[in-house]
Amino acid sequence: MTFLVTIAALAALHGAPPQGGWTWTLYEDGPLVLANEIPDTPQLKAILECQPGAGVARLDLFGSTNAGIATIASGTATATGESEATADHQSVALRTDHPVFGQFLVTGALDVAVGGTHQAVAVPAAHLAKLRRFAELCSG
């Protein structure tokens, strides 16, 4: 047992990412942001961002840097869009009135595929109200 505690302490000292703590947080000041993050850290899995009333949300997926044509799917709905890449994430834009976004609001599941690589976004049922609030404010 002491060995495991020592390993955990060393991992914490060397910046190993925590195993838990991931949550969805809605920020309503400034641009609207719904982030899948570990609060009070720079660790992000996904960010949805929009200007209130704009009707278009940008999805940033961290850990993937694929650019090109993206296939976005949720439930039985699909869409295509351009995926842009930076050093640490890829971005795709989604209209909030598109059926794929509507299915995302219902299922909490979204898949983005670029060049055969898939990245999933999952919003647990306990956080779907935040996703719906985000969509409501983005849509106007």
Side-chain angles (χ1 to χ4, degrees), residues 44-67:
L44 297 166
K45 285 186 182 179
I47 294 175
L48 281 161
E49 183 176 347
C50 74
Q51 291 298 324
V56 176
R58 187 184 77 235
L59 172 63
D60 294 337
L61 298 167
F62 293 83
S64 180
T65 57
N66 294 323

Side-chain angles (χ1 to χ4, degrees), residues 46-116:
I47 294 175
L48 281 161
E49 183 176 347
C50 74
Q51 291 298 324
V56 176
R58 187 184 77 235
L59 172 63
D60 294 337
L61 298 167
F62 293 83
S64 180
T65 57
N66 294 323
I69 300 300
T71 301
I72 305 138
S74 184
T76 58
T78 61
T80 57
E82 185 69 27
S83 174
E84 298 175 357
T86 66
D88 65 349
H89 69 277
Q90 72 183 42
S91 298
V92 295
L94 299 165
R95 292 205 43 86
T96 58
D97 61 355
H98 192 282
V100 114
F101 202 84
Q103 283 291 301
F104 182 39
L105 296 176
V106 172
T107 66
L110 189 73
D111 181 75
V112 178
V114 179

